[in-house]
């Protein structure tokens, strides 16, 4: 594993650290970036990169599955793009945490990214402090067309998977984090407010500004959407007895949590997920219209997205506003 120096701005490893482990205080784990790491439309990593890394950052190649990704390190803060899906997230988290050049013994992990809102409770633009993750792919799934009652749940719990199907984060840490983030201001757009109001007419939960909430995330390698899977997720979270209700859906957190657990760090994991779309079909969208022939209007980061209206950019800013408070608290020794 060799240190890389891709640009003139990339700092070389200080001579004093070449034979010593580099201490990390905060490891930020976004999943993807839309374009460059700085200076253009921001994805999950850019705002964190620009604030805490940027000029003078050291870049390291890590033996993970993302050959193009680099571990960015500066002043005790590190950031790595994990990639999407549970397998990539788990393998790359483990690759970073097991890299012997770095000392993570006093580090917190901030896993961050976008997600889909649980209809009935969560609006686009919300930021969720994730307190548990459920692996939606474990258990039994049936095609609703083959059920005795097509309207019934199509997910069935299997107790053989119980040890692997859910991971809960440190409740004391979650309470401390909640105490410092619950009143952080977050924002929406007029277009997104109208989108939510029209999609769920007369529903008070949908006609509100976004905020900070606590909840359980559903992790699945399948990018699903629809009322039947939504009901399955509510049932799964209740079935496993998670402290907080189903709030968001995404594709990586259970993998991150399990890799952190293997490294002895699960009690120092914090997860933030901002919502950029809904977990059900709205405004007449269908699976075919969104996915069969994917167009620009189906891209979540598009300002004309059929799924996310124009909330993506604002949601990234909301996530960073909350994450920035957490990182500063860690670096100041207040968390």
């Amino acid at each position: 594993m060799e240190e890389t120096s891709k640009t003139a701005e990339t700092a070389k490893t200080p001579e004093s650290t070449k034979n010593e482990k580099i201490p990390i205080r905060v490891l930020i784990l976004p999943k993807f970036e839309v374009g460059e790491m700085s200076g253009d439309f921001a994805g999950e990593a850019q705002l964190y990169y620009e604030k805490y890394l940027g000029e003078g950052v050291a870049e390291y190649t890590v033996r993970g599955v993302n050959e193009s990704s680099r571990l960015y390190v500066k002043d005790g803060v590190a950031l790595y793009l994990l990639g999407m899906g549970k397998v990539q997230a788990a393998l790359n988290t483990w690759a970073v945490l097991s890299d012997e050049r770095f000392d993570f013994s006093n580090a917190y992990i901030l896993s961050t990214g976008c997600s889909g809102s649980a209809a009935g409770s969560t609006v686009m633009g919300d930021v969720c402090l994730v307190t548990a993750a459920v692996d939606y792919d474990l258990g039994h799934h049936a095609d609703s067309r083959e059920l005795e009652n097509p309207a019934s749940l199509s997910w069935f719990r299997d107790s053989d998977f119980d040890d692997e199907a859910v991971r809960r984060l440190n409740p004391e840490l979650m309470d401390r984090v909640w105490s410092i983030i619950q009143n952080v201001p977050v924002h929406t757009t007029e277009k997104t407010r109208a989108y939510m109001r029209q999609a769920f007419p007369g529903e008070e939960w949908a006609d509100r500004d976004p905020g900070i909430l606590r909840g359980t995330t559903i992790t699945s390698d399948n990018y699903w959407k629809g009322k039947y899977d939504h009901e399955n997720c509510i049932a799964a979270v209740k079935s496993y007895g998670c402290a907080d209700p189903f709030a968001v859906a995404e594709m990586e957190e259970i993998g991150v949590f399990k890799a952190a657990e293997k490294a002895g760090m699960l009690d120092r994991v914090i997860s933030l997920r901002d919502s950029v779309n809904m977990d059900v079909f709205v405004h007449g969208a269908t699976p075919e219209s969104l996915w069969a022939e994917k167009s620009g209007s189906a891209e979540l980061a598009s300002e004309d997205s059929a799924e996310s209206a124009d909330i993506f950019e604002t949601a990234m800013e909301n996530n960073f506003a909350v994450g920035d408070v957490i990182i500063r608290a860690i670096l100041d020794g207040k968390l």
Side-chain angles (χ1 to χ4, degrees):
M1 293 178 286
E2 297 180 353
E3 178 185 347
T4 63
S5 181
K6 294 168 58 181
T7 69
E9 293 182 350
T10 302
K12 294 184 178 180
T13 307
E15 192 71 30
S16 61
T17 67
K18 284 190 175 181
N19 296 315
E20 301 174 7
K21 289 190 174 185
I22 300 168
I24 304 298
R25 299 284 307 284
V26 184
L27 172 61
I28 308 168
L29 297 177
K31 313 309 177 291
F32 69 89
E33 184 51 53
V34 174
E36 300 299 322
M37 291 298 291
S38 181
D40 59 0
F41 188 90
E44 294 180 350
Q46 187 172 130
L47 298 177
Y48 289 98
Y49 180 89
E50 290 177 340
K51 172 68 179 287
Y52 289 100
L53 298 146
E55 185 175 356
V57 67
E59 299 182 20
Y60 300 86
T61 300
V62 175
R63 287 183 178 173
V65 295
N66 289 353
E67 294 183 359
S68 61
S69 289
R70 297 291 182 269
L71 180 67
Y72 301 100
V73 179
K74 181 180 177 182
D75 298 333
V77 177
L79 182 148
Y80 190 85
L81 287 173
L82 289 182
M84 292 182 282
K86 290 183 294 186
V87 174
Q88 284 206 84
L91 288 174
N92 284 321
T93 299
W94 176 246
V96 172
L97 295 179
S98 60
D99 192 312
E100 295 184 353
R101 293 171 296 178
F102 306 99
D103 178 5
F104 293 102
S105 60
N106 294 309
Y108 286 84
I109 296 172
L110 177 61
S111 182
T112 182
C114 62
S115 61
S117 284
S121 62
T122 315
V123 303
M124 297 193 307
D126 278 341
V127 177
C128 179
L129 174 65
V130 172
T131 57
V134 169
D135 191 332
Y136 187 45
D137 297 315
L138 294 181
H140 301 286
H141 293 259
D143 190 309
S144 61
R145 292 169 293 186
E146 297 181 299
L147 294 171
E148 293 179 6
N149 177 4
S152 64
L153 295 176
S154 59
W155 171 85
F156 299 84
R157 179 175 173 177
D158 187 329
S159 60
D160 289 342
F161 296 122
D162 282 1
D163 289 343
E164 297 301 327
V166 61
R167 287 295 181 272
R168 299 169 179 83
L169 298 186
N170 181 346
E172 294 182 0
L173 177 60
M174 296 301 98
D175 288 345
R176 295 200 302 273
V177 172
W178 180 250
S179 70
I180 65 172
I181 68 170
Q182 59 183 310
N183 295 317
V184 173
V186 292
H187 305 285
T188 189
T189 69
E190 288 302 319
K191 183 175 181 177
T192 296
R193 279 295 294 269
Y195 179 100
M196 291 295 299
R197 188 181 302 116
Q198 293 163 10
F200 305 96
E203 298 288 346
E204 291 186 7
W205 69 268
D207 190 13
R208 65 167 175 83
D209 288 329
I212 318 298
L213 63 149
R214 296 170 63 136
T216 298
T217 187
I218 289 283
T219 304
S220 173
D221 273 322
N222 187 339
Y223 180 1
W224 60 268
K225 186 187 288 287
K227 63 180 181 179
Y228 297 112
D229 277 316
H230 169 83
E231 295 297 332
N232 286 337
C233 291
I234 292 174
V237 169
K238 289 181 178 178
S239 178
Y240 291 119
C242 297
D244 294 304
F246 168 47
V248 293
E250 41 69 41
M251 302 175 71
E252 295 87 21
E253 294 299 35
I254 194 76
V256 175
F257 294 1
K258 287 185 177 181
E261 181 179 49
K262 181 176 175 62
M265 293 182 63
L266 185 60
D267 64 336
R268 285 177 278 138
V269 174
I270 302 164
S271 169
L272 291 181
R273 286 282 178 166
D274 58 272
S275 172
V276 297
N277 66 338
M278 301 305 299
D279 70 347
V280 295
F281 294 99
V282 295
H283 293 297
T286 66
E288 293 84 355
S289 69
L290 290 178
W291 303 325
E293 295 182 5
K294 195 169 184 180
S295 66
S297 65
E299 296 290 341
L300 294 178
S302 168
E303 292 186 357
D304 296 314
S305 173
E307 287 194 77
S308 62
D310 62 347
I311 196 61
F312 188 91
E313 183 175 12
T314 300
M316 297 303 108
E317 294 169 353
N318 289 348
N319 186 303
F320 174 72
V322 180
D324 187 35
V325 171
I326 294 171
I327 292 170
R328 286 188 283 112
I330 294 170
L331 296 178
D332 292 342
K334 296 179 180 179
L335 196 59

